[in-house]
Amino acid sequence: MQWPWQYDFPPFFTLQPHAETRAKQLSAWRSIVLDYYKHTKESTLDVREAQSSPLFFNSTINRKLSQEGILLILENLQKTGNAEPLDKTKNRWLIFWKSPEEWGKLLYNWAQARGMTNSVCTLFELVSGDDTTDEEFYGLDTEIIIRAIRTLEVERKAEMMMYDDNQGVKFF
Amino acid sequence: MDRLEYDDPILHPKEDEIAKLRNVKIYDGDAKSATFENGELIATSHRLVYVQSGSSNGLSLRLHYLVYVEEEKSSGFGFSRSKKLLLHLSEPLPGKPPGPVDRSSCSFIRLSFKDGYDSSFPNNLSAALQKKKWETAPITSTSLPEAPPPVQLPGRQLRAGIVGIERQIQAKHKATDDSISLAFEDLNKLMSMAKDMVLLSKSISDKIKEKQGEISDDETVQFKSYLLSLGIDDPVTRDNSRSESHYHQNLARQISSALQDQIKEIGGMMTLPEAYCRVNRARGLELLSPEDMLKACQIMASLGMPVTLKVFDSGVKVLHLSTHNDQSIIKTTAEAIEESGSYTAEELAQVLGMSVLLAKERLLITEKAGRACRDDSIEGLRFYPNLLLEKN
């Protein structure tokens, strides 16, 4: 993971009171968060545990961002459609370093390229199957795949199905 | 019960006390609930005196009524552990002084002793009955029938019971009335003074309307003296911006000339408390009150003095050179931070030779202008050049 210069700058971990500075600070944090999640291919964040992750805690300079700051960044990301709280307590969040629509497009393109239109495959196959190891969505959190498929449903390009005990999707 | 009478609980010199017992209840005959309770019983050679707690009035039973004293055996229920005495009484005599109960069908009363009594008490009581001391050394002027109650001491109410309570309530009302009227007398005086003041203030306000500001000195003095006698602070000095009294203007000039050099020496800024101390130390005898100091400083700017008052966001007040402005502070502070990389308030104070408070204020206004950013951690509060804004 390539950290930007701000990561080693101590004031970066203090929420700035100066409005203009804060805006720039938050925007820098947004990019770092999205890059980090893209790098680790993870999709969920728990605010209560986040402070111990290297994302918000730089051990070399011994600085960490406050929970207030983390929440502020997440809410910012929510506004741009890059994050979503999983519950009312706002403790657990989904991070979309790609938007659900972008994922939907990727899935559909893959389905078309493989000639999988008008056939069904399970979600498991999509994220953990042998056919998809090279794809970007390999190993993606199921929640995000589902959201991606939902965007496709709107365009009538796919439909979620229950298939024995598994969740599946039919591409059209 | 009708043999009891209202009586003075103070013992006569010829009376001998046999026993004093507390928490005594009196039952009429075989009654299940007590007629009187929570009282103290004093047995003497002449009578049994009963005083209820909280009351100064007493009841007494002349011993000559007592025919026989009997200890009551504890009842089968065993509810009450209190010892009980049965007092068998003879008929009430005509002309007997009034008591709490007019007619009673029972010829005995029961006394209940919650705290118990000495086992010798009944014997002593019987002995007193035998002695009949009331015949040989009567404590009232005539023997039977008893004389009317002793002479009322001035102001003492001998009546207990409902009538007594009513009288107490009446007395309370009267006392309240008296105190209220006393209070209102002061208010009347106040109102009559206020009339004068209202007239005076009317004349002053009329004059102001006409001449726009010329109030004669003696009217002002009169007004002020009225207010002082009422205990109101002179409102003329309250609102400073309207009436800039000469006193404060002179004061402002004095202070600014006295402190100007000193302020320059310490870097152009001095906290108000420090300025106040220096001014008073210089004055020696005629010390300045904090309010006068504050008011004088507040009008410095309008008078164009070289030294003026500045109030920071945090509420800190300083006297600084008028030539000193925020921009120059911000510039110098930002440069200092860049040179050294970062500063805490303490470090900056040392370098610049000023108090930590002032150094902190400098850093804060520099941050406010966006020329510095803060690093707040357990290591302390440190300020860096604002790369977050300037870089990238």
Side-chain angles (χ1 to χ4, degrees):
Chain A
M1 171 76 191
Q2 276 280 26
W3 301 110
W5 68 267
Q6 288 104 330
Y7 188 68
D8 293 309
F9 188 49
F12 192 52
F13 290 83
T14 307
L15 209 50
Q16 295 298 319
H18 186 235
E20 227 188 303
T21 317
R22 177 184 286 209
K24 258 196 137 178
Q25 181 188 26
L26 287 177
S27 145
W29 270 112
R30 282 170 35 92
S31 328
I32 294 187
V33 169
L34 291 177
D35 285 343
Y36 181 77
Y37 273 86
K38 185 170 178 182
H39 176 79
T40 59
K41 290 231 167 181
E42 294 198 355
S43 298
T44 53
L45 185 152
D46 190 324
V47 176
R48 296 162 292 190
E49 296 163 0
Q51 278 191 311
S52 43
S53 123
L55 173 58
F56 295 112
F57 172 53
N58 183 344
S59 45
T60 23
I61 58 169
N62 195 21
R63 293 283 186 274
K64 63 173 184 251
L65 191 61
S66 66
Q67 283 210 0
E68 189 197 342
I70 297 176
L71 202 56
L72 204 59
I73 293 170
L74 288 170
E75 285 170 355
N76 237 302
L77 285 169
Q78 190 180 11
K79 285 193 193 124
T80 53
N82 290 104
E84 197 184 295
L86 282 172
D87 52 42
K88 273 210 186 109
T89 60
K90 291 203 178 183
N91 281 331
R92 292 180 58 241
W93 291 71
L94 270 184
I95 310 290
F96 308 120
W97 38 275
K98 264 200 205 320
S99 70
E101 287 85 3
E102 288 172 332
W103 285 121
K105 257 199 205 112
L106 273 178
L107 282 171
Y108 192 69
N109 287 341
W110 172 84
Q112 273 191 321
R114 292 297 177 109
M116 300 280 283
T117 46
N118 275 315
S119 65
V120 181
C121 63
T122 62
L123 295 190
F124 182 79
E125 282 175 320
L126 284 177
V127 300
S128 328
D130 301 323
D131 284 343
T132 57
T133 44
D134 291 333
E135 298 297 325
E136 269 193 86
F137 51 78
Y138 186 74
L140 198 60
D141 192 292
T142 322
E143 277 295 325
I144 304 203
I145 293 282
I146 293 175
R147 279 181 176 68
I149 295 174
R150 296 247 181 268
T151 64
L152 288 178
E153 278 185 347
V154 168
E155 296 174 35
R156 309 283 180 113
K157 286 190 179 163
E159 193 182 316
M160 287 278 297
M161 319 189 88
M162 279 308 288
Y163 180 53
D164 284 343
D165 268 333
N166 305 321
Q167 285 173 308
V169 56
K170 181 168 181 181
F171 294 100
F172 296 119
Chain B
M1 191 63 91
D2 47 350
R3 283 71 155 178
L4 292 174
E5 61 198 47
Y6 293 117
D7 205 354
D8 192 345
I10 297 177
L11 262 55
H12 197 268
K14 287 192 187 158
E15 259 182 293
D16 302 326
E17 189 182 294
I18 298 177
K20 205 183 226 179
L21 300 153
R22 299 169 83 214
N23 268 318
V24 179
K25 295 185 189 178
I26 304 182
Y27 295 79
D28 186 12
D30 269 328
K32 289 280 180 278
S33 50
T35 319
F36 298 103
E37 50 189 27
N38 228 345
E40 191 180 70
L41 186 77
I42 308 170
T44 75
S45 49
H46 290 64
R47 55 195 171 133
L48 293 172
V49 184
Y50 183 78
V51 185
Q52 274 189 299
S53 70
S55 161
S56 52
N57 310 319
L59 305 170
S60 78
L61 178 68
R62 306 260 159 195
L63 281 190
H64 64 81
Y65 281 117
L66 249 119
V67 171
Y68 180 56
V69 175
E70 185 187 334
E71 272 185 282
E72 188 177 287
K73 299 182 188 54
S74 55
S75 60
F77 291 115
F79 263 144
S80 54
R81 306 254 189 83
S82 46
K83 291 192 176 173
K84 290 204 178 59
L85 277 183
L86 256 131
L87 304 177
H88 294 271
L89 309 169
S90 57
E91 289 298 309
L93 296 161
K96 167 192 162 286
V101 178
D102 272 342
R103 294 204 64 75
S104 177
S105 52
C106 303
S107 56
F108 67 96
I109 56 170
R110 278 149 67 231
L111 298 176
S112 147
F113 300 86
K114 195 166 165 216
D115 291 343
Y117 54 79
D118 198 35
S119 48
S120 60
F121 172 58
N123 290 336
N124 294 339
L125 195 54
S126 309
L129 284 178
Q130 300 285 330
K131 268 195 221 151
K132 293 194 197 249
K133 196 170 176 196
W134 56 87
E135 289 181 357
T136 50
I139 58 173
T140 50
S141 45
T142 54
S143 46
L144 320 167
E146 304 292 349
V151 175
Q152 275 198 6
L153 295 173
R156 281 284 309 277
Q157 292 283 8
L158 288 186
R159 297 264 177 269
I162 295 181
V163 177
I165 294 172
E166 276 183 6
R167 273 191 211 199
Q168 275 178 348
I169 294 177
Q170 267 181 353
K172 262 189 219 158
H173 279 316
K174 188 162 182 307
T176 325
D177 273 338
D178 287 339
S179 67
I180 289 179
S181 3
L182 197 64
F184 270 114
E185 269 184 41
D186 292 337
L187 198 61
N188 284 333
K189 278 200 201 130
L190 184 76
M191 280 174 47
S192 59
M193 266 205 75
K195 265 192 210 136
D196 292 334
M197 272 196 47
V198 165
L199 284 171
L200 184 61
S201 63
K202 260 197 187 158
S203 76
I204 292 179
S205 64
D206 287 338
K207 281 199 187 165
I208 291 178
K209 276 186 207 154
E210 291 170 48
K211 291 196 210 168
Q212 299 211 343
E214 276 300 320
I215 308 168
S216 77
D217 272 325
D218 22 287
E219 275 195 319
T220 319
V221 166
Q222 225 184 350
F223 194 55
K224 284 189 195 176
S225 70
Y226 271 139
L227 290 173
L228 266 174
S229 61
L230 281 176
I232 301 174
D233 224 349
D234 191 350
V236 173
T237 56
R238 245 193 247 149
D239 197 347
N240 201 39
S241 52
R242 231 181 283 161
S243 70
E244 286 162 2
S245 65
H246 287 279
Y247 174 61
H248 284 123
Q249 285 180 13
N250 285 333
L251 208 54
R253 290 197 188 97
Q254 266 181 33
I255 296 173
S256 72
S257 62
L259 292 178
Q260 190 177 1
D261 291 330
Q262 297 181 32
I263 293 179
K264 226 184 257 176
E265 273 172 44
I266 66 165
M269 200 183 278
M270 185 189 284
T271 56
L272 196 60
E274 192 182 338
Y276 175 70
C277 291
R278 290 189 189 225
V279 163
N280 266 342
R281 195 134 32 101
R283 287 181 128 226
L285 282 179
E286 255 195 51
L287 297 180
L288 218 55
S289 77
E291 292 140 326
D292 286 332
M293 174 85 182
L294 185 62
K295 278 170 198 148
C297 294
Q298 280 167 341
I299 59 171
M300 274 179 187
S302 55
L303 293 174
M305 296 282 113
V307 168
T308 49
L309 182 71
K310 178 185 166 74
V311 183
F312 285 107
D313 288 336
S314 49
V316 171
K317 296 184 176 60
V318 295
L319 284 181
H320 68 154
L321 300 172
S322 328
T323 50
H324 221 242
N325 59 357
D326 279 348
Q327 290 306 318
S328 54
I329 295 182
I330 294 170
K331 188 154 170 282
T332 41
T333 317
E335 282 166 9
I337 297 178
E338 268 188 56
E339 243 191 77
S340 80
S342 71
Y343 264 125
T344 62
E346 292 81 13
E347 290 166 357
L348 188 65
Q350 244 182 344
V351 165
L352 291 180
M354 60 171 57
S355 67
V356 177
L357 191 63
L358 288 181
K360 184 140 185 220
E361 289 300 330
R362 288 190 161 216
L363 290 168
L364 287 175
I365 51 170
T366 313
E367 179 193 41
K368 206 168 161 197
R371 298 296 306 278
C373 57
R374 64 167 64 193
D375 165 38
D376 204 349
S377 68
I378 32 169
E379 295 172 16
L381 181 59
R382 196 171 270 280
F383 288 86
Y384 287 76
N386 196 357
L387 298 176
L388 292 178
L389 190 63
E390 293 158 16
K391 198 164 155 181
N392 222 18

